[in-house]
Amino acid sequence: MTIKDVMKFIESEYNIINNTPCEMCGGELVADYSNVDLIDDIPHDICFCICSHCGHEKIFEFYAPFIDEIQKRKKRKRTLN
């Protein structure tokens, strides 16, 4: 997976966030911060968002295949050394 592919994944996550209205007031959600975490041993990009109008918080969980790719590359390098 190239950097361009990774950026496409991340861009699609932000498109989903930007097109999801706040469930409380219908306002605009803004990404506050994100973190990569394992959910059932599967890497996910966790985006913590907040409504710019009412302050309601929402968490998005996106599968992060690029993290799997990075881990596979690290394992391959270790076995080659």
Side-chain angles (χ1 to χ4, degrees):
M1 183 170 287
T2 67
I3 267 299
K4 188 175 180 179
D5 295 331
V6 172
M7 294 308 292
K8 283 182 184 180
F9 268 96
I10 294 170
E11 183 180 351
S12 70
E13 293 173 2
Y14 281 92
N15 283 336
I16 291 169
I17 292 167
N18 291 333
N19 289 304
T20 302
C22 173
E23 54 204 12
M24 301 302 282
C25 74
E28 182 179 333
L29 293 173
V30 178
D32 189 26
Y33 66 96
S34 66
N35 193 19
V36 175
D37 203 356
L38 294 176
I39 300 173
D40 296 327
D41 292 328
I42 300 170
H44 284 75
D45 187 13
I46 312 296
C47 293
F48 298 86
C49 301
I50 189 164
C51 176
S52 61
H53 183 68
C54 73
H56 177 71
E57 296 176 349
K58 180 168 178 67
I59 298 173
F60 289 86
E61 298 173 358
F62 300 102
Y63 169 57
F66 47 90
I67 300 299
D68 266 341
E69 188 69 28
I70 291 168
Q71 290 173 343
K72 287 177 187 174
R73 286 182 186 172
K74 284 182 180 179
K75 285 180 184 177
R76 273 188 245 135
K77 283 183 181 180
R78 277 187 253 153
T79 58
L80 293 175
N81 291 331

